[in-house]
Amino acid sequence: MSENLMNSANSQNDEIDIFELLGKIWKGKFSIAMITLAFFALGVLYTIIATPWYQANARISVPYYKNISENKKELFANADMIINKIQSKYIDTKSSEPQSAVVKKIAPAKVTGTKNNLNDFFDIEVMGKSNDEAVALINQIVKEEQEIYKSNISLQESRIKNALYNADVKVKILKNNIENNNIQIKRVENDINNTAIQIKRVENDIANLNLKINQIKNIQIKRLEDRITQINNVFMPNKDKEIANLQNIVLPNDKKAYDELINKIIPNLESEMKSLEKELKNPNLNQNNAIVLKERLNDLRNRYMSATTTTKQKFEHDLHDSEFVKIPALLKDKESLIMSQNDLQNQIELKNDDILKIETTIGEKQDDIFKLQVRIGEKNDDIVKIQNSIDEKKDEITKLENQKEILKASLEKQNLSNVVIKDDIIVTSGSPAKPKKLLIVAIATFLGGILGIFYVLIKDIKKKNK
């Protein structure tokens, strides 16, 4: 209970002390105001007297070339290397002479939104007595670094130009080779056309030879076969019929008639004449009968004379002619026909030999056609090979043209660059970065107020001690 009362009394004393303190400050408010105003005036005076410093910021790219084919940026130097050189020269080494511009800060650029450093950019902050002097220092630093890597850039540029020149030369050589290949194809095509003409000629020759074979078979041999058929079916049978007629009909009939003439007709005539002669010697024969008998006897004698001379000779001539002239002549004709038949058959065989020779020639010409067709096939294969070679060269030209485009692009500013200010942008302050007038005045005023309060309190303490 007693502890609660004591705590309550202490709390009241604290409140009295605070109110008393505030009262003392209030009493010394004019002193505080004067001191605060004095510090405010000093702050303002400092901002007027102090030299203004302007700030310039830039993001600087390190020297690089971009390997477009691999989409990879190759650095001649990374950001840390260049930062260390600039820092050593412009920050770590203090100059005894007053500077119109100084490097305030240099650091690797950050990846946006992260704390990771960029390897190919760095940020530089320069303070200068004017924006122009700050910008001039940044440009000076960039030029100094450019001089360092100028030879590297020139060497890389020369390499690219040499590669571009070599690619141009290769393209020209390939185009010349393609022209030569096209000429080769033209020559091979002409050779194919000439070979096709040769094949056409040989085919025409074969057609003519086939026509000749058909002519020999269907005309010449057919004519010879028709003649043989005619001999076999007409002439020979006719000769055989004539010979058979002579041997079997004419000659036997003639012999029979001759025998009848010799053995019957002539003897009968002789007997009849003797009989008539005997009757005429009869003395009792009257005159009229004698006349009749004499006439008859004369007729018999005429007939006998004709039979023994003309008729007999005719029969003998006919028999001799049939047996020794006509039949031998017919047999000789038949032999001639057989010989003609054999001759015709020999001619047919000769014609068949001619056909075989022509067919052999046709076979040889067909072999020639096959060889020519094989040659055409080989020539077509040559054309395919040449065309494939042309296509390969065209593909190579396309690759070289793409390579040339890449090399040309590699020479562009964004792909082959020395140390440069990113986007040629240097950010400068519109007003001096130093001194910060409002901040200085505010701090001076704040310090003046604090010192004024301390002054009033210390003054009050001294009065109580007296």
Side-chain angles (χ1 to χ4, degrees):
M1 185 70 179
S2 60
E3 289 180 358
N4 291 333
L5 290 172
M6 289 178 66
N7 290 333
S8 177
N10 290 332
S11 175
Q12 289 177 358
N13 289 332
D14 291 339
E15 289 178 3
I16 292 170
D17 290 339
I18 291 171
F19 285 118
E20 183 180 358
L21 181 61
L22 291 173
K24 290 178 181 180
I25 292 172
W26 180 251
K27 287 180 181 179
K29 59 182 179 290
F30 292 105
S31 298
I32 294 171
M34 292 299 293
I35 294 171
T36 301
L37 185 59
F39 271 85
F40 173 78
L42 288 172
V44 172
L45 180 62
Y46 175 77
T47 58
I48 294 171
I49 295 171
T51 302
W53 288 86
Y54 293 84
Q55 180 178 320
N57 293 286
R59 176 161 288 186
I60 298 175
S61 171
V62 301
Y64 70 90
Y65 72 91
K66 190 172 183 180
N67 189 337
I68 298 175
S69 58
E70 297 180 6
N71 195 23
K72 182 180 178 182
K73 185 183 278 189
E74 303 288 346
L75 305 180
F76 293 106
N78 58 38
D80 289 335
M81 290 174 60
I82 298 176
I83 287 170
N84 291 334
K85 287 190 293 180
I86 295 173
Q87 184 166 347
S88 175
K89 182 175 180 180
Y90 287 94
I91 297 177
D92 297 341
T93 303
K94 301 295 182 180
S95 177
S96 58
E97 297 179 1
Q99 302 291 320
S100 60
V102 294
V103 177
K104 187 69 176 178
K105 181 182 176 183
I106 183 169
K110 300 290 184 183
V111 179
T112 304
T114 69
K115 294 182 179 181
N116 298 327
N117 293 336
L118 290 171
N119 199 30
D120 52 349
F121 288 97
F122 62 91
D123 294 328
I124 187 168
E125 179 182 323
V126 173
M127 301 296 291
K129 292 182 179 180
S130 67
N131 281 329
D132 290 341
E133 289 174 324
V135 169
L137 181 57
I138 291 175
N139 287 329
Q140 177 185 334
I141 292 171
V142 170
K143 286 181 181 179
E144 289 174 355
E145 293 301 318
Q146 285 177 344
E147 286 298 321
I148 294 172
Y149 298 103
K150 184 177 180 180
S151 60
N152 299 79
I153 298 297
S154 297
L155 179 60
Q156 183 63 25
E157 188 175 13
S158 297
R159 288 174 180 169
I160 293 171
K161 287 181 178 178
N162 287 335
L164 188 58
Y165 172 78
N166 292 332
D168 276 329
V169 171
K170 287 180 181 178
V171 168
K172 289 179 182 178
I173 292 172
L174 288 171
K175 286 182 177 178
N176 288 334
N177 289 339
I178 288 174
E179 289 179 4
N180 293 332
N181 286 336
N182 285 324
I183 292 171
Q184 283 181 306
I185 288 176
K186 200 69 178 176
R187 288 174 180 169
V188 174
E189 286 176 345
N190 290 335
D191 195 6
I192 289 173
N193 291 333
N194 293 331
T195 305
I197 291 170
Q198 282 182 291
I199 290 174
K200 196 68 179 176
R201 288 174 181 169
V202 175
E203 287 175 344
N204 290 335
D205 291 341
I206 290 173
N208 292 330
L209 291 172
N210 283 322
L211 287 174
K212 193 171 183 180
I213 288 174
N214 290 331
Q215 186 179 15
I216 292 172
K217 282 183 178 179
N218 299 326
I219 296 176
Q220 297 178 8
I221 292 178
K222 182 72 167 56
R223 189 179 298 162
L224 294 171
E225 288 175 344
D226 289 343
R227 289 178 65 185
I228 290 173
T229 301
Q230 189 178 26
I231 289 171
N232 289 330
N233 296 334
V234 178
F235 296 151
M236 291 291 285
N238 288 339
K239 295 297 179 184
D240 288 337
K241 286 179 181 178
E242 289 181 14
I243 291 171
N245 183 54
L246 288 171
Q247 287 177 341
N248 300 324
I249 297 174
V250 175
L251 191 59
N253 290 336
D254 287 345
K255 284 182 177 182
K256 183 178 179 182
Y258 181 75
D259 289 340
E260 186 178 358
L261 177 66
I262 297 299
N263 297 319
K264 186 177 180 180
I265 293 174
I266 291 176
N268 288 335
L269 288 172
E270 288 177 347
S271 175
E272 192 174 353
M273 283 190 301
K274 287 178 179 182
S275 176
L276 287 175
E277 288 176 351
K278 188 177 180 180
E279 286 182 10
L280 286 173
K281 289 178 178 183
N282 187 1
N284 295 322
L285 184 65
N286 60 31
Q287 189 176 356
N288 289 330
N289 290 331
I291 294 169
V292 170
L293 290 172
K294 285 181 180 179
E295 289 180 353
R296 186 176 177 188
L297 179 62
N298 289 330
D299 180 58
L300 289 172
R301 285 176 178 170
N302 289 332
R303 287 174 58 191
Y304 178 79
M305 286 296 294
S306 175
T308 56
T309 56
T310 305
T311 304
K312 181 182 177 183
Q313 289 175 355
K314 182 178 180 302
F315 277 121
E316 288 176 349
H317 178 270
D318 289 341
L319 286 170
H320 182 273
D321 185 57
S322 296
E323 187 173 1
F324 298 104
V325 177
K326 289 183 178 179
I327 290 174
L330 288 172
L331 291 171
K332 190 174 181 180
D333 290 342
K334 188 175 179 182
E335 290 177 359
S336 296
L337 289 173
I338 292 170
M339 289 177 66
S340 296
Q341 188 179 26
N342 293 333
D343 183 61
L344 292 171
Q345 192 63 46
N346 290 333
Q347 290 183 42
I348 289 173
E349 290 178 0
L350 291 174
K351 296 295 182 183
N352 286 324
D353 291 339
D354 291 339
I355 289 173
L356 289 174
K357 290 177 182 178
I358 294 171
E359 287 176 343
T360 301
T361 303
I362 289 173
E364 292 173 352
K365 289 187 178 293
Q366 287 174 340
D367 290 339
D368 293 338
I369 288 175
F370 177 75
K371 291 176 183 178
L372 291 171
Q373 288 173 339
V374 170
R375 183 179 176 185
I376 287 176
E378 292 173 350
K379 295 295 181 182
N380 283 324
D381 290 340
D382 291 340
I383 288 176
V384 171
K385 290 177 182 177
I386 295 170
Q387 190 60 53
N388 290 336
S389 177
I390 288 174
D391 292 339
E392 290 174 359
K393 289 182 177 69
K394 285 182 178 179
D395 291 339
E396 193 172 351
I397 286 174
T398 300
K399 291 177 182 178
L400 287 170
E401 291 293 349
N402 292 335
Q403 183 180 345
K404 283 170 62 179
E405 292 300 321
I406 291 171
L407 291 170
K408 287 177 182 177
S410 298
L411 290 173
E412 294 177 2
K413 184 178 178 180
Q414 68 271 22
N415 295 320
L416 179 61
S417 175
N418 204 331
V419 177
V420 292
I421 299 168
K422 187 176 185 298
D423 300 326
D424 291 329
I425 296 174
I426 298 177
V427 179
T428 58
S429 55
S431 58
K434 288 183 179 181
K436 297 184 181 298
K437 294 181 179 181
L438 292 177
L439 181 60
I440 289 172
V441 171
I443 291 172
T445 303
F446 178 75
L447 288 175
I450 296 297
L451 290 174
I453 291 170
F454 277 109
Y455 172 75
V456 170
L457 293 175
I458 290 169
K459 185 178 178 183
D460 181 68
I461 291 169
K462 285 182 178 180
K463 281 182 180 181
K464 284 183 179 181
N465 290 333
K466 288 180 179 181

